[in-house]
mmCIF file of all heavy atoms in Angstrom:
data_model
loop_
_atom_site.group_PDB
_atom_site.id
_atom_site.type_symbol
_atom_site.label_atom_id
_atom_site.label_comp_id
_atom_site.label_asym_id
_atom_site.label_seq_id
_atom_site.Cartn_x
_atom_site.Cartn_y
_atom_site.Cartn_z
ATOM 1 N N GLU B 131 -11.294 11.310 -5.591
ATOM 2 C CA GLU B 131 -10.541 11.576 -6.804
ATOM 3 C C GLU B 131 -10.581 13.067 -7.149
ATOM 4 O O GLU B 131 -11.629 13.700 -7.092
ATOM 5 C CB GLU B 131 -11.110 10.768 -7.974
ATOM 6 C CG GLU B 131 -10.972 9.272 -7.801
ATOM 7 C CD GLU B 131 -12.136 8.617 -7.081
ATOM 8 O OE1 GLU B 131 -12.859 9.312 -6.324
ATOM 9 O OE2 GLU B 131 -12.330 7.401 -7.258
ATOM 10 N N GLY B 132 -9.437 13.617 -7.511
ATOM 11 C CA GLY B 132 -9.328 15.030 -7.852
ATOM 12 C C GLY B 132 -8.832 15.898 -6.720
ATOM 13 O O GLY B 132 -8.432 17.051 -6.953
ATOM 14 N N ASP B 133 -8.853 15.381 -5.491
ATOM 15 C CA ASP B 133 -8.367 16.156 -4.348
ATOM 16 C C ASP B 133 -6.841 16.225 -4.358
ATOM 17 O O ASP B 133 -6.156 15.327 -4.864
ATOM 18 C CB ASP B 133 -8.816 15.530 -3.025
ATOM 19 C CG ASP B 133 -10.305 15.694 -2.764
ATOM 20 O OD1 ASP B 133 -10.958 16.453 -3.496
ATOM 21 O OD2 ASP B 133 -10.800 15.044 -1.818
ATOM 22 N N THR B 134 -6.319 17.294 -3.768
ATOM 23 C CA THR B 134 -4.891 17.439 -3.523
ATOM 24 C C THR B 134 -4.705 17.804 -2.060
ATOM 25 O O THR B 134 -5.379 18.698 -1.550
ATOM 26 C CB THR B 134 -4.265 18.517 -4.419
ATOM 27 O OG1 THR B 134 -4.422 18.142 -5.789
ATOM 28 C CG2 THR B 134 -2.778 18.670 -4.122
ATOM 29 N N VAL B 135 -3.807 17.102 -1.388
ATOM 30 C CA VAL B 135 -3.574 17.296 0.044
ATOM 31 C C VAL B 135 -2.100 17.614 0.249
ATOM 32 O O VAL B 135 -1.228 16.932 -0.311
ATOM 33 C CB VAL B 135 -3.955 16.038 0.855
ATOM 34 C CG1 VAL B 135 -3.713 16.254 2.335
ATOM 35 C CG2 VAL B 135 -5.403 15.644 0.594
ATOM 36 N N GLU B 136 -1.816 18.637 1.036
ATOM 37 C CA GLU B 136 -0.440 18.964 1.406
ATOM 38 C C GLU B 136 -0.140 18.325 2.764
ATOM 39 O O GLU B 136 -0.790 18.614 3.762
ATOM 40 C CB GLU B 136 -0.252 20.484 1.494
ATOM 41 C CG GLU B 136 -0.565 21.231 0.198
ATOM 42 C CD GLU B 136 0.432 20.961 -0.917
ATOM 43 O OE1 GLU B 136 1.570 20.521 -0.604
ATOM 44 O OE2 GLU B 136 0.078 21.167 -2.095
ATOM 45 N N ILE B 137 0.863 17.436 2.779
ATOM 46 C CA ILE B 137 1.309 16.779 4.013
ATOM 47 C C ILE B 137 2.793 17.052 4.154
ATOM 48 O O ILE B 137 3.618 16.407 3.495
ATOM 49 C CB ILE B 137 1.014 15.270 4.008
ATOM 50 C CG1 ILE B 137 -0.455 14.983 3.719
ATOM 51 C CG2 ILE B 137 1.439 14.643 5.337
ATOM 52 C CD1 ILE B 137 -0.782 13.502 3.539
ATOM 53 N N GLY B 138 3.151 18.016 4.981
ATOM 54 C CA GLY B 138 4.548 18.399 5.089
ATOM 55 C C GLY B 138 5.098 18.797 3.738
ATOM 56 O O GLY B 138 4.518 19.635 3.035
ATOM 57 N N SER B 139 6.194 18.168 3.348
ATOM 58 C CA SER B 139 6.821 18.496 2.056
ATOM 59 C C SER B 139 6.258 17.685 0.897
ATOM 60 O O SER B 139 6.730 17.821 -0.239
ATOM 61 C CB SER B 139 8.336 18.268 2.158
ATOM 62 O OG SER B 139 8.628 16.957 2.602
ATOM 63 N N PHE B 140 5.249 16.855 1.148
ATOM 64 C CA PHE B 140 4.608 16.083 0.090
ATOM 65 C C PHE B 140 3.351 16.800 -0.409
ATOM 66 O O PHE B 140 2.538 17.272 0.393
ATOM 67 C CB PHE B 140 4.187 14.696 0.586
ATOM 68 C CG PHE B 140 5.314 13.767 0.899
ATOM 69 C CD1 PHE B 140 5.629 13.441 2.215
ATOM 70 C CD2 PHE B 140 6.066 13.199 -0.125
ATOM 71 C CE1 PHE B 140 6.660 12.582 2.514
ATOM 72 C CE2 PHE B 140 7.107 12.325 0.175
ATOM 73 C CZ PHE B 140 7.409 12.022 1.493
ATOM 74 N N THR B 141 3.191 16.841 -1.710
ATOM 75 C CA THR B 141 1.913 17.180 -2.324
ATOM 76 C C THR B 141 1.298 15.873 -2.807
ATOM 77 O O THR B 141 1.889 15.174 -3.650
ATOM 78 C CB THR B 141 2.095 18.145 -3.500
ATOM 79 O OG1 THR B 141 2.662 19.369 -3.027
ATOM 80 C CG2 THR B 141 0.755 18.445 -4.165
ATOM 81 N N VAL B 142 0.146 15.526 -2.264
ATOM 82 C CA VAL B 142 -0.461 14.221 -2.529
ATOM 83 C C VAL B 142 -1.707 14.416 -3.376
ATOM 84 O O VAL B 142 -2.655 15.100 -2.971
ATOM 85 C CB VAL B 142 -0.819 13.495 -1.217
ATOM 86 C CG1 VAL B 142 -1.340 12.093 -1.518
ATOM 87 C CG2 VAL B 142 0.386 13.431 -0.286
ATOM 88 N N HIS B 143 -1.703 13.817 -4.555
ATOM 89 C CA HIS B 143 -2.841 13.879 -5.464
ATOM 90 C C HIS B 143 -3.647 12.585 -5.343
ATOM 91 O O HIS B 143 -3.086 11.489 -5.433
ATOM 92 C CB HIS B 143 -2.367 14.058 -6.905
ATOM 93 C CG HIS B 143 -1.513 15.263 -7.123
ATOM 94 N ND1 HIS B 143 -2.042 16.506 -7.392
ATOM 95 C CD2 HIS B 143 -0.160 15.412 -7.077
ATOM 96 C CE1 HIS B 143 -1.050 17.383 -7.533
ATOM 97 N NE2 HIS B 143 0.097 16.744 -7.345
ATOM 98 N N VAL B 144 -4.947 12.727 -5.139
ATOM 99 C CA VAL B 144 -5.844 11.571 -5.045
ATOM 100 C C VAL B 144 -6.381 11.308 -6.442
ATOM 101 O O VAL B 144 -7.004 12.193 -7.059
ATOM 102 C CB VAL B 144 -6.988 11.841 -4.055
ATOM 103 C CG1 VAL B 144 -7.829 10.574 -3.855
ATOM 104 C CG2 VAL B 144 -6.447 12.346 -2.724
ATOM 105 N N VAL B 145 -6.149 10.109 -6.976
ATOM 106 C CA VAL B 145 -6.444 9.843 -8.380
ATOM 107 C C VAL B 145 -7.289 8.584 -8.543
ATOM 108 O O VAL B 145 -7.370 7.734 -7.649
ATOM 109 C CB VAL B 145 -5.145 9.717 -9.202
ATOM 110 C CG1 VAL B 145 -4.327 11.006 -9.118
ATOM 111 C CG2 VAL B 145 -4.313 8.523 -8.745
ATOM 112 N N GLU B 146 -7.859 8.474 -9.710
ATOM 113 C CA GLU B 146 -8.713 7.333 -10.051
ATOM 114 C C GLU B 146 -7.874 6.097 -10.336
ATOM 115 O O GLU B 146 -6.841 6.152 -10.997
ATOM 116 C CB GLU B 146 -9.543 7.676 -11.287
ATOM 117 C CG GLU B 146 -10.438 6.546 -11.784
ATOM 118 C CD GLU B 146 -11.131 6.858 -13.091
ATOM 119 O OE1 GLU B 146 -11.120 8.038 -13.507
ATOM 120 O OE2 GLU B 146 -11.674 5.914 -13.712
ATOM 121 N N THR B 147 -8.346 4.963 -9.812
ATOM 122 C CA THR B 147 -7.747 3.667 -10.110
ATOM 123 C C THR B 147 -8.874 2.701 -10.499
ATOM 124 O O THR B 147 -10.038 3.098 -10.595
ATOM 125 C CB THR B 147 -6.971 3.124 -8.894
ATOM 126 O OG1 THR B 147 -7.872 2.999 -7.786
ATOM 127 C CG2 THR B 147 -5.817 4.051 -8.532
ATOM 128 N N HIS B 148 -8.519 1.441 -10.692
ATOM 129 C CA HIS B 148 -9.535 0.450 -11.067
ATOM 130 C C HIS B 148 -9.292 -0.839 -10.298
ATOM 131 O O HIS B 148 -8.407 -1.629 -10.631
ATOM 132 C CB HIS B 148 -9.485 0.167 -12.570
ATOM 133 C CG HIS B 148 -10.421 -0.929 -13.002
ATOM 134 N ND1 HIS B 148 -11.796 -0.846 -12.876
ATOM 135 C CD2 HIS B 148 -10.171 -2.152 -13.537
ATOM 136 C CE1 HIS B 148 -12.350 -1.959 -13.329
ATOM 137 N NE2 HIS B 148 -11.385 -2.768 -13.725
ATOM 138 N N ASP B 149 -10.061 -1.007 -9.227
ATOM 139 C CA ASP B 149 -10.044 -2.251 -8.444
ATOM 140 C C ASP B 149 -11.481 -2.755 -8.377
ATOM 141 O O ASP B 149 -12.270 -2.306 -7.556
ATOM 142 C CB ASP B 149 -9.494 -1.992 -7.046
ATOM 143 C CG ASP B 149 -9.462 -3.253 -6.191
ATOM 144 O OD1 ASP B 149 -9.881 -4.315 -6.684
ATOM 145 O OD2 ASP B 149 -9.026 -3.165 -5.023
ATOM 146 N N PRO B 150 -11.860 -3.693 -9.248
ATOM 147 C CA PRO B 150 -13.252 -4.140 -9.295
ATOM 148 C C PRO B 150 -13.716 -4.855 -8.040
ATOM 149 O O PRO B 150 -14.916 -5.035 -7.844
ATOM 150 C CB PRO B 150 -13.277 -5.078 -10.513
ATOM 151 C CG PRO B 150 -11.861 -5.506 -10.709
ATOM 152 C CD PRO B 150 -11.024 -4.357 -10.259
ATOM 153 N N ASP B 151 -12.789 -5.245 -7.163
ATOM 154 C CA ASP B 151 -13.165 -5.921 -5.921
ATOM 155 C C ASP B 151 -13.434 -4.948 -4.780
ATOM 156 O O ASP B 151 -13.884 -5.363 -3.708
ATOM 157 C CB ASP B 151 -12.057 -6.889 -5.496
ATOM 158 C CG ASP B 151 -11.850 -8.005 -6.499
ATOM 159 O OD1 ASP B 151 -12.851 -8.549 -6.991
ATOM 160 O OD2 ASP B 151 -10.685 -8.321 -6.801
ATOM 161 N N ALA B 152 -13.161 -3.658 -4.986
ATOM 162 C CA ALA B 152 -13.336 -2.652 -3.944
ATOM 163 C C ALA B 152 -14.527 -1.751 -4.260
ATOM 164 O O ALA B 152 -14.861 -1.523 -5.417
ATOM 165 C CB ALA B 152 -12.077 -1.807 -3.800
ATOM 166 N N ALA B 153 -15.164 -1.225 -3.198
ATOM 167 C CA ALA B 153 -16.318 -0.345 -3.371
ATOM 168 C C ALA B 153 -15.903 1.042 -3.826
ATOM 169 O O ALA B 153 -16.572 1.664 -4.661
ATOM 170 C CB ALA B 153 -17.114 -0.257 -2.070
ATOM 171 N N HIS B 154 -14.813 1.575 -3.258
ATOM 172 C CA HIS B 154 -14.323 2.900 -3.668
ATOM 173 C C HIS B 154 -12.810 2.960 -3.479
ATOM 174 O O HIS B 154 -12.321 3.394 -2.449
ATOM 175 C CB HIS B 154 -15.004 4.022 -2.877
ATOM 176 C CG HIS B 154 -14.647 5.394 -3.376
ATOM 177 N ND1 HIS B 154 -15.092 6.549 -2.775
ATOM 178 C CD2 HIS B 154 -13.880 5.804 -4.429
ATOM 179 C CE1 HIS B 154 -14.629 7.596 -3.419
ATOM 180 N NE2 HIS B 154 -13.876 7.168 -4.424
ATOM 181 N N PRO B 155 -12.070 2.528 -4.493
ATOM 182 C CA PRO B 155 -10.611 2.600 -4.415
ATOM 183 C C PRO B 155 -10.102 3.933 -4.947
ATOM 184 O O PRO B 155 -10.710 4.550 -5.838
ATOM 185 C CB PRO B 155 -10.173 1.461 -5.329
ATOM 186 C CG PRO B 155 -11.247 1.432 -6.393
ATOM 187 C CD PRO B 155 -12.536 1.818 -5.693
ATOM 188 N N VAL B 156 -8.978 4.389 -4.419
ATOM 189 C CA VAL B 156 -8.261 5.536 -4.970
ATOM 190 C C VAL B 156 -6.773 5.219 -4.966
ATOM 191 O O VAL B 156 -6.324 4.272 -4.319
ATOM 192 C CB VAL B 156 -8.509 6.844 -4.173
ATOM 193 C CG1 VAL B 156 -9.984 7.212 -4.180
ATOM 194 C CG2 VAL B 156 -7.967 6.751 -2.749
ATOM 195 N N GLY B 157 -6.012 6.020 -5.690
ATOM 196 C CA GLY B 157 -4.562 5.947 -5.650
ATOM 197 C C GLY B 157 -4.006 7.274 -5.172
ATOM 198 O O GLY B 157 -4.696 8.303 -5.188
ATOM 199 N N TYR B 158 -2.744 7.260 -4.748
ATOM 200 C CA TYR B 158 -2.100 8.469 -4.240
ATOM 201 C C TYR B 158 -0.782 8.699 -4.993
ATOM 202 O O TYR B 158 0.100 7.833 -4.994
ATOM 203 C CB TYR B 158 -1.803 8.341 -2.748
ATOM 204 C CG TYR B 158 -3.043 8.194 -1.895
ATOM 205 C CD1 TYR B 158 -3.370 6.959 -1.324
ATOM 206 C CD2 TYR B 158 -3.898 9.271 -1.670
ATOM 207 C CE1 TYR B 158 -4.507 6.818 -0.533
ATOM 208 C CE2 TYR B 158 -5.040 9.133 -0.888
ATOM 209 C CZ TYR B 158 -5.335 7.910 -0.324
ATOM 210 O OH TYR B 158 -6.473 7.757 0.447
ATOM 211 N N VAL B 159 -0.670 9.869 -5.613
ATOM 212 C CA VAL B 159 0.567 10.297 -6.260
ATOM 213 C C VAL B 159 1.260 11.278 -5.327
ATOM 214 O O VAL B 159 0.734 12.362 -5.049
ATOM 215 C CB VAL B 159 0.306 10.944 -7.629
ATOM 216 C CG1 VAL B 159 1.620 11.408 -8.250
ATOM 217 C CG2 VAL B 159 -0.405 9.977 -8.571
ATOM 218 N N PHE B 160 2.432 10.882 -4.831
ATOM 219 C CA PHE B 160 3.207 11.709 -3.902
ATOM 220 C C PHE B 160 4.248 12.482 -4.703
ATOM 221 O O PHE B 160 5.186 11.889 -5.243
ATOM 222 C CB PHE B 160 3.915 10.843 -2.864
ATOM 223 C CG PHE B 160 2.999 10.129 -1.922
ATOM 224 C CD1 PHE B 160 2.429 8.905 -2.272
ATOM 225 C CD2 PHE B 160 2.696 10.662 -0.681
ATOM 226 C CE1 PHE B 160 1.590 8.237 -1.400
ATOM 227 C CE2 PHE B 160 1.856 10.001 0.205
ATOM 228 C CZ PHE B 160 1.298 8.791 -0.158
ATOM 229 N N GLU B 161 4.080 13.794 -4.754
ATOM 230 C CA GLU B 161 5.074 14.638 -5.404
ATOM 231 C C GLU B 161 5.964 15.291 -4.349
ATOM 232 O O GLU B 161 5.482 15.784 -3.333
ATOM 233 C CB GLU B 161 4.401 15.713 -6.245
ATOM 234 C CG GLU B 161 3.812 15.205 -7.547
ATOM 235 C CD GLU B 161 3.409 16.333 -8.476
ATOM 236 O OE1 GLU B 161 2.675 17.242 -8.026
ATOM 237 O OE2 GLU B 161 3.841 16.312 -9.647
ATOM 238 N N HIS B 162 7.263 15.293 -4.631
ATOM 239 C CA HIS B 162 8.256 15.877 -3.732
ATOM 240 C C HIS B 162 9.402 16.384 -4.606
ATOM 241 O O HIS B 162 9.588 15.923 -5.733
ATOM 242 C CB HIS B 162 8.757 14.818 -2.737
ATOM 243 C CG HIS B 162 9.633 15.345 -1.650
ATOM 244 N ND1 HIS B 162 10.997 15.500 -1.807
ATOM 245 C CD2 HIS B 162 9.347 15.763 -0.387
ATOM 246 C CE1 HIS B 162 11.509 15.992 -0.692
ATOM 247 N NE2 HIS B 162 10.533 16.148 0.186
ATOM 248 N N ASP B 163 10.173 17.318 -4.092
ATOM 249 C CA ASP B 163 11.312 17.818 -4.859
ATOM 250 C C ASP B 163 12.254 16.690 -5.258
ATOM 251 O O ASP B 163 12.949 16.774 -6.278
ATOM 252 C CB ASP B 163 12.079 18.864 -4.038
ATOM 253 C CG ASP B 163 11.306 20.165 -3.870
ATOM 254 O OD1 ASP B 163 10.344 20.383 -4.626
ATOM 255 O OD2 ASP B 163 11.673 20.955 -2.979
ATOM 256 N N ALA B 164 12.293 15.629 -4.449
ATOM 257 C CA ALA B 164 13.199 14.512 -4.722
ATOM 258 C C ALA B 164 12.676 13.559 -5.786
ATOM 259 O O ALA B 164 13.453 12.778 -6.352
ATOM 260 C CB ALA B 164 13.473 13.741 -3.432
ATOM 261 N N GLY B 165 11.379 13.581 -6.046
ATOM 262 C CA GLY B 165 10.808 12.657 -7.007
ATOM 263 C C GLY B 165 9.343 12.391 -6.738
ATOM 264 O O GLY B 165 8.735 12.982 -5.833
ATOM 265 N N THR B 166 8.769 11.474 -7.523
ATOM 266 C CA THR B 166 7.337 11.187 -7.464
ATOM 267 C C THR B 166 7.122 9.692 -7.286
ATOM 268 O O THR B 166 7.714 8.871 -8.000
ATOM 269 C CB THR B 166 6.631 11.663 -8.748
ATOM 270 O OG1 THR B 166 6.840 13.068 -8.895
ATOM 271 C CG2 THR B 166 5.142 11.381 -8.698
ATOM 272 N N PHE B 167 6.262 9.355 -6.333
ATOM 273 C CA PHE B 167 5.919 7.960 -6.029
ATOM 274 C C PHE B 167 4.413 7.792 -6.153
ATOM 275 O O PHE B 167 3.641 8.600 -5.642
ATOM 276 C CB PHE B 167 6.372 7.608 -4.608
ATOM 277 C CG PHE B 167 5.978 6.236 -4.138
ATOM 278 C CD1 PHE B 167 6.542 5.106 -4.695
ATOM 279 C CD2 PHE B 167 5.036 6.075 -3.125
ATOM 280 C CE1 PHE B 167 6.188 3.831 -4.254
ATOM 281 C CE2 PHE B 167 4.669 4.815 -2.675
ATOM 282 C CZ PHE B 167 5.247 3.688 -3.240
ATOM 283 N N PHE B 168 3.977 6.725 -6.826
ATOM 284 C CA PHE B 168 2.549 6.456 -7.021
ATOM 285 C C PHE B 168 2.201 5.143 -6.350
ATOM 286 O O PHE B 168 2.735 4.093 -6.712
ATOM 287 C CB PHE B 168 2.233 6.393 -8.511
ATOM 288 C CG PHE B 168 0.768 6.202 -8.842
ATOM 289 C CD1 PHE B 168 -0.247 6.490 -7.933
ATOM 290 C CD2 PHE B 168 0.389 5.750 -10.103
ATOM 291 C CE1 PHE B 168 -1.581 6.322 -8.251
ATOM 292 C CE2 PHE B 168 -0.941 5.590 -10.443
ATOM 293 C CZ PHE B 168 -1.923 5.867 -9.507
ATOM 294 N N HIS B 169 1.297 5.217 -5.373
ATOM 295 C CA HIS B 169 0.746 4.020 -4.748
ATOM 296 C C HIS B 169 -0.630 3.790 -5.373
ATOM 297 O O HIS B 169 -1.552 4.582 -5.167
ATOM 298 C CB HIS B 169 0.629 4.211 -3.234
ATOM 299 C CG HIS B 169 0.367 2.936 -2.485
ATOM 300 N ND1 HIS B 169 -0.735 2.153 -2.733
ATOM 301 C CD2 HIS B 169 1.064 2.305 -1.498
ATOM 302 C CE1 HIS B 169 -0.709 1.099 -1.923
ATOM 303 N NE2 HIS B 169 0.388 1.173 -1.176
ATOM 304 N N THR B 170 -0.768 2.699 -6.093
ATOM 305 C CA THR B 170 -1.995 2.434 -6.850
ATOM 306 C C THR B 170 -3.008 1.596 -6.080
ATOM 307 O O THR B 170 -4.058 1.252 -6.625
ATOM 308 C CB THR B 170 -1.673 1.706 -8.169
ATOM 309 O OG1 THR B 170 -1.200 0.389 -7.876
ATOM 310 C CG2 THR B 170 -0.633 2.458 -8.974
ATOM 311 N N GLY B 171 -2.715 1.262 -4.811
ATOM 312 C CA GLY B 171 -3.597 0.343 -4.106
ATOM 313 C C GLY B 171 -3.532 -1.024 -4.752
ATOM 314 O O GLY B 171 -2.460 -1.504 -5.124
ATOM 315 N N ASP B 172 -4.676 -1.658 -4.931
ATOM 316 C CA ASP B 172 -4.740 -2.975 -5.578
ATOM 317 C C ASP B 172 -5.261 -2.847 -7.011
ATOM 318 O O ASP B 172 -5.897 -3.770 -7.544
ATOM 319 C CB ASP B 172 -5.655 -3.922 -4.787
ATOM 320 C CG ASP B 172 -5.043 -4.367 -3.473
ATOM 321 O OD1 ASP B 172 -3.863 -4.067 -3.227
ATOM 322 O OD2 ASP B 172 -5.766 -5.009 -2.677
ATOM 323 N N SER B 173 -4.993 -1.712 -7.637
ATOM 324 C CA SER B 173 -5.556 -1.450 -8.962
ATOM 325 C C SER B 173 -5.041 -2.428 -10.005
ATOM 326 O O SER B 173 -3.878 -2.812 -10.021
ATOM 327 C CB SER B 173 -5.220 -0.027 -9.406
ATOM 328 O OG SER B 173 -5.839 0.265 -10.646
ATOM 329 N N LYS B 174 -5.942 -2.784 -10.887
ATOM 330 C CA LYS B 174 -5.611 -3.459 -12.127
ATOM 331 C C LYS B 174 -5.525 -2.394 -13.230
ATOM 332 O O LYS B 174 -5.660 -1.208 -12.945
ATOM 333 C CB LYS B 174 -6.669 -4.518 -12.437
ATOM 334 C CG LYS B 174 -6.666 -5.696 -11.448
ATOM 335 C CD LYS B 174 -7.633 -6.778 -11.894
ATOM 336 C CE LYS B 174 -7.516 -8.021 -11.003
ATOM 337 N NZ LYS B 174 -8.018 -7.787 -9.638
ATOM 338 N N PRO B 175 -5.267 -2.777 -14.496
ATOM 339 C CA PRO B 175 -5.195 -1.767 -15.553
ATOM 340 C C PRO B 175 -6.419 -0.848 -15.531
ATOM 341 O O PRO B 175 -7.549 -1.297 -15.408
ATOM 342 C CB PRO B 175 -5.140 -2.617 -16.826
ATOM 343 C CG PRO B 175 -4.449 -3.869 -16.393
ATOM 344 C CD PRO B 175 -4.952 -4.130 -15.001
#
Side-chain angles (χ1 to χ4, degrees):
E131 295 89 337
D133 289 350
T134 299
V135 180
E136 301 291 339
I137 306 173
S139 54
F140 292 108
T141 298
V142 185
H143 303 274
V144 186
V145 300
E146 178 186 347
T147 59
H148 175 63
D149 180 359
D151 296 317
H154 187 183
V156 299
Y158 297 107
V159 179
F160 294 85
E161 285 192 308
H162 188 274
D163 290 343
T166 301
F167 175 69
F168 183 20
H169 193 301
T170 68
D172 288 353
S173 184
K174 292 186 174 69

